[in-house]
């Protein structure tokens, strides 16, 4: 996986929080804390997408699929 360097502007309190998380959470660097935060945000968005899809309703056509995912006709 390739990486890119970015510059962030953070308040002093946000920077202090980031440093505290690095120390308390056993992260090796500020970058590692930011990576973890981005991963958590991505996962929460995915969970929201699943919840939205579920809220759209159950599709009876799923019942016609076998356990292997292939349609049974």
């Amino acid at each position: 996986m390739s990486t890119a360097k970015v510059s962030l502007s953070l308040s002093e309190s946000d920077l202090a929080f980031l440093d505290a998380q690095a120390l308390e959470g056993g992260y090796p660097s500020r970058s590692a804390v930011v990576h973890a935060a981005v991963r958590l945000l991505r996962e929460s968005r995915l969970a929201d997408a699943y919840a939205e899809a579920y809220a759209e309703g159950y599709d009876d056509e799923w019942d016609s699929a076998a356990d292997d995912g292939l349609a049974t006709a």
Side-chain angles (χ1 to χ4, degrees), residues 60-73:
D60 290 332
E61 291 182 20
W62 284 104
D63 287 337
S64 67
D67 289 336
D68 61 5
L70 300 176
T72 56

Side-chain angles (χ1 to χ4, degrees), residues 15-33:
L15 186 57
F17 177 79
L18 193 67
D19 288 339
Q21 290 302 303
L23 289 173
E24 295 168 13
Y27 295 98
S29 65
R30 291 174 175 167
S31 290
V33 177

Side-chain angles (χ1 to χ4, degrees), residues 38-71:
V38 169
R39 185 181 67 250
L40 288 172
L41 179 60
R42 185 174 290 159
E43 289 171 0
S44 75
R45 295 282 172 93
L46 182 59
D48 291 345
Y50 278 120
E52 183 180 332
Y54 182 78
E56 289 177 3
Y58 181 79
D59 189 348
D60 290 332
E61 291 182 20
W62 284 104
D63 287 337
S64 67
D67 289 336
D68 61 5
L70 300 176

Side-chain angles (χ1 to χ4, degrees), residues 2-31:
S2 64
T3 60
K5 288 191 177 237
V6 297
S7 174
L8 299 174
S9 297
L10 298 173
S11 68
E12 289 295 325
S13 63
D14 286 344
L15 186 57
F17 177 79
L18 193 67
D19 288 339
Q21 290 302 303
L23 289 173
E24 295 168 13
Y27 295 98
S29 65
R30 291 174 175 167
S31 290

